[in-house]
Amino acid sequence: QVHLVESGGGSVQAGGSLRLSCAASGVTEHSTLCRGWFRQAPGKQREGIATIHRTGNTTYADSVKGRFMISQDNAKNNVYLQMNSLKTEDTAMYYCATGPSFGGACPRSETASLFWGQGTQVTVSS
């Protein structure tokens, strides 16, 4: 049984920082080849923010590039999202995802093979 649990969300003022964590259990090396963070703001579609392959290759959405950094601790099956210089536009529910990969990089698009966490709310105020 795959379980993903996010933590670290909360309220922060614009310009501040947060670090999100995602702990995975019941997973295999295959099912954690790709790790990623997605977010969904009210009234908007869920979008991929950052992904990391087990080898360390990363991708970022243009909207967060240079401000957010994804990292992982494969020994602990954890993935993190360091968010700096937060903007009000970053306000959203943030979801952790994990799944297989057939290449050396992970796309930010959703696939049916992904497992999802319950989400953690990030609210950025001015």
Side-chain angles (χ1 to χ4, degrees), residues 8-14 16-18 20 86 91 120-125:
S11 298
V12 65
Q13 289 187 316
S17 299
L18 284 174
L20 306 184
L86 283 162
T91 295
T120 185
Q121 179 67 39
V122 171
T123 302
V124 184
S125 62

Side-chain angles (χ1 to χ4, degrees), residues 26-98:
V27 294
T28 66
E29 183 175 344
H30 177 259
S31 66
T32 56
L33 285 174
C34 285
R35 311 296 300 275
W37 290 94
F38 296 73
R39 68 184 182 187
Q40 186 170 29
K44 297 183 178 180
Q45 295 186 159
R46 186 157 61 184
E47 61 176 341
I49 300 302
T51 66
I52 185 167
H53 191 272
R54 198 169 185 88
T55 60
N57 291 338
T58 59
T59 77
Y60 294 95
D62 288 341
S63 59
V64 306
K65 193 173 298 182
R67 299 188 298 120
F68 292 9
M69 184 177 73
I70 189 171
S71 61
Q72 65 189 343
D73 184 340
N74 289 327
K76 297 180 179 179
N77 289 135
N78 289 352
V79 64
Y80 310 94
L81 185 68
Q82 179 66 46
M83 304 184 294
N84 298 322
S85 301
L86 283 162
K87 305 174 180 179
T88 56
E89 303 96 286
D90 296 318
T91 295
M93 184 72 75
Y94 283 71
Y95 297 90
C96 173
T98 189

